[in-house]
Amino acid sequence: METAAKMPGTSSTYRKFITEKLADNKDFQKLVQDFKSIDYNESISRQDYPAGRNYRKSYLTLLVVTTLKSKDLEDFNERITGILPINEQMKIYNSLKKAQPYFRQFVWNESEAKIKKQIIELKKHNDISSELFLKFNHFYKSSWDVQVPFYVTLYPIPGKQGNTTATPHGNALCVGSMTDSNDTIGTLGVTLHEMCHILYNEQSKEVQAELEKYFTENKSRYSKLAYSYFNEAMATALGNGYGYKILNKGNLDKGEWYNKATINLFAKVIYPLTEKYLEQNKPIDKNFVDEIIKSFEKTFPNSIYEYGPNFNTLNLYADQLEGNYIFDNFFKYFSANSVHVSSPLKDVSQSHRLLEDDSSFIILLDKNQKENLEELKKAFPEIQKIKYDNTISNISFFDAKNRMIVILFINKPENLDQAFEKLEKHKQLDKDKLIQY
């Protein structure tokens, strides 16, 4: 249902399969809309953890972890009581219950035997995988306790090849696997990759603060971007790089390690240093962080001016546009590690996030454009002299805190897709002017 709803972190191959089978089924599409109407991105946050780490547990994570401990949908519904308002809980339950026959008919009935066979093959590598998990745990200086069970769940994606995804949730990994593929080592590499995300998330707040300090005290202008990509690149270097090599009898994967070019290249560039630390049984330290920042700067010299890298950790503001609609359009053109949507724009100049957050900002002027532009001038003296003109589409600049600020003028909801497409096409801002186009 996540995939059918085009939620982030889902497989385009799986989505195409579902679309081919059920695009014209109005009853199923109604279930998808009901399922998607819930805001799964709402979360429980810990304010006592470093700001750059954004320690949070989304409702989606709480729900996914619960599914793994549930016998069936009725048991699941009972266990999630109290997490969400009852009306939202029942909307999720009813949409899943009514969608289950479609899943069984089009996916599970044909895939059950194949996916269970894959699980048998994967279990043959449990001992090595466990050793790697402990080695990575030490490298991250994570606080994971071996008494806590760790679940890896495979879900089937019909077919032999295509885009697969895996996502970490608490002490659980959800790994998509092509049903007709026999790439056991590749699947294990992806699994170890996602384990690394969990180990990174479960560092103590003291370790997180120490690691964040290494990045923030580094004088390079690229340190913030390197930090925003660190989690994904590190998991790729460890799981798809080192883990794959150990499982594959000492042979590195010669193909792409990650389906996003920046992360793939960054992971491969930092791999030699990562392998050296692992072989010496050394945890991440200041020297390690300083070296990977140098590598990022050398590898991506234009990144500080490019929209894509700066949107990797992002705050989005709007007045009327709805969060899921913004997400759908944004993720068509950009990938991101963390995106937070806020509204309305009233008194936005006093917003806690706008005043204190270190991330980049996209501010969508989708209502009362002239008034909201004046409001933004209170927060950004850089745009004081700009007068409202309905021909302006994009104002982009770096503020006094060296944050990329992008102000987009959206005259009607249908313009949002075009606005993001234009950002992706232009690739980077012109640092010598405020009004880009």
Side-chain angles (χ1 to χ4, degrees):
M1 291 299 281
E2 282 184 75
T3 305
K6 300 180 181 178
M7 289 167 65
T10 53
S11 163
S12 58
T13 302
Y14 195 16
R15 188 177 308 122
K16 182 181 178 183
F17 174 85
I18 296 170
T19 300
E20 288 174 349
K21 300 291 184 183
L22 292 162
D24 297 328
N25 187 308
K26 292 181 180 179
D27 291 336
F28 179 76
Q29 294 305 322
K30 173 64 167 57
L31 297 177
V32 172
Q33 291 307 311
D34 286 346
F35 179 83
K36 189 179 179 180
S37 68
I38 306 300
D39 188 354
Y40 298 95
N41 294 300
E42 283 294 328
S43 60
I44 300 167
S45 299
R46 289 285 297 269
Q47 302 303 320
D48 54 336
Y49 276 69
R53 293 295 292 273
N54 192 24
Y55 189 92
R56 57 192 286 272
K57 299 292 183 187
S58 69
Y59 287 139
L60 181 62
T61 280
L62 298 176
L63 295 173
V64 170
V65 170
T66 305
T67 66
L68 301 181
K69 301 168 185 175
S70 304
K71 294 180 295 184
D72 49 37
L73 279 174
E74 284 66 33
D75 186 32
F76 167 73
N77 193 45
E78 175 70 23
R79 288 172 182 265
I80 66 173
T81 303
I83 295 177
L84 293 164
I86 289 294
N87 66 314
E88 294 186 0
Q89 173 185 330
M90 294 310 297
K91 183 177 279 190
I92 292 172
Y93 168 71
N94 287 324
S95 64
L96 291 177
K97 185 173 183 178
K98 292 175 182 177
Q100 197 171 53
Y102 295 104
F103 173 71
R104 287 175 175 157
Q105 178 184 351
F106 293 107
V107 181
W108 189 246
N109 290 344
E110 295 293 325
S111 303
E112 180 181 7
K114 296 175 181 178
I115 208 76
K116 287 184 175 180
K117 182 179 179 182
Q118 288 185 16
I119 291 171
I120 291 171
E121 292 302 309
L122 290 167
K123 284 183 175 180
K124 294 177 181 179
H125 301 273
N126 272 357
D127 289 345
I128 297 177
S129 298
S130 296
E131 289 175 13
L132 287 166
F133 178 83
L134 294 174
K135 195 176 190 71
F136 296 165
N137 189 43
H138 174 73
F139 175 76
Y140 276 114
K141 293 194 282 191
S142 184
S143 58
W144 192 270
D145 194 305
V146 293
Q147 297 179 77
V148 178
F150 200 94
Y151 300 95
V152 179
T153 300
L154 261 65
Y155 65 88
I157 300 177
K160 188 171 185 178
Q161 59 185 11
N163 167 248
T164 60
T165 59
T167 52
H169 300 280
N171 65 333
L173 301 179
C174 294
V175 181
S177 180
M178 303 302 301
T179 55
D180 297 322
S181 171
N182 295 311
D183 187 11
T184 302
I185 303 301
T187 300
L188 283 169
V190 171
T191 302
L192 289 167
H193 172 121
E194 297 304 327
M195 285 180 176
C196 288
H197 286 314
I198 290 177
L199 292 175
Y200 183 69
N201 291 338
E202 293 303 329
Q203 290 171 326
S204 69
K205 61 183 176 183
E206 292 79 16
V207 171
Q208 290 190 22
E210 177 185 48
L211 185 58
E212 183 162 298
K213 186 178 178 182
Y214 295 155
F215 281 97
T216 57
E217 291 187 349
N218 186 287
K219 301 301 182 184
S220 171
R221 286 190 65 189
Y222 296 79
S223 60
K224 184 167 69 172
L225 288 180
Y227 188 24
S228 76
Y229 280 106
F230 178 74
N231 183 14
E232 202 64 62
M234 199 73 261
T236 304
L238 290 168
N240 309 81
Y242 187 84
Y244 183 99
K245 179 180 178 181
I246 296 300
L247 290 161
N248 197 37
K249 300 178 180 178
N251 298 307
L252 271 174
D253 184 358
K254 295 180 181 179
E256 300 299 294
W257 294 358
Y258 198 90
N259 63 357
K260 299 291 188 298
T262 302
I263 294 165
N264 178 65
L265 185 53
F266 190 26
K268 290 188 174 184
V269 167
I270 66 175
Y271 178 79
L273 181 64
T274 302
E275 183 179 58
K276 180 180 177 182
Y277 266 65
L278 290 169
E279 294 300 319
Q280 294 177 359
N281 203 31
K282 290 172 61 176
I284 295 170
D285 57 17
K286 185 178 184 302
N287 176 70
F288 185 89
V289 171
D290 288 342
E291 288 299 317
I292 67 167
I293 293 172
K294 287 180 185 176
S295 296
F296 190 92
E297 181 173 351
K298 184 178 179 181
T299 308
F300 308 106
N302 295 324
S303 59
I304 53 175
Y305 302 112
E306 293 173 344
Y307 291 120
N310 280 278
F311 293 167
N312 198 34
T313 54
L314 179 68
N315 284 292
L316 262 159
Y317 275 85
D319 220 331
Q320 289 187 312
L321 289 169
E322 190 264 332
N324 281 332
Y325 181 74
I326 295 172
F327 275 118
D328 286 349
N329 285 277
F330 176 82
F331 282 106
K332 281 175 66 176
Y333 301 101
F334 299 100
S335 58
N337 178 50
S338 173
V339 179
H340 187 276
V341 176
S342 300
S343 64
L345 290 175
K346 181 178 173 59
D347 299 323
V348 68
S349 66
Q350 301 304 310
S351 159
H352 172 77
R353 285 185 178 274
L354 199 65
L355 291 171
E356 298 185 13
D357 202 298
D358 197 38
S359 302
S360 300
F361 285 81
I362 295 179
I363 301 167
L364 305 172
L365 300 188
D366 57 332
K367 180 185 177 185
N368 302 326
Q369 294 178 345
K370 184 176 181 180
E371 294 84 348
N372 284 325
L373 181 61
E374 291 303 312
E375 170 69 17
L376 289 171
K377 289 180 181 180
K378 298 175 185 177
F380 303 115
E382 294 85 358
I383 60 173
Q384 280 291 339
K385 295 181 180 180
I386 292 180
K387 294 183 179 180
Y388 176 71
D389 181 339
N390 60 13
T391 65
I392 298 174
S393 298
N394 174 341
I395 301 172
S396 296
F397 60 96
F398 290 96
D399 71 354
K401 296 181 180 178
N402 202 34
R403 303 177 299 183
M404 180 180 280
I405 311 297
V406 179
I407 302 171
L408 299 178
F409 293 75
I410 309 297
N411 295 315
K412 53 185 179 180
E414 303 84 67
N415 292 153
L416 187 62
D417 178 272
Q418 187 179 28
F420 286 139
E421 182 182 26
K422 206 167 184 179
L423 277 179
E424 195 264 347
K425 181 181 178 181
H426 278 258
K427 296 192 184 306
Q428 65 183 56
L429 60 76
D430 183 339
K431 64 181 184 299
D432 297 320
K433 63 181 185 180
L434 294 171
I435 299 174
Q436 302 294 309
Y437 49 80

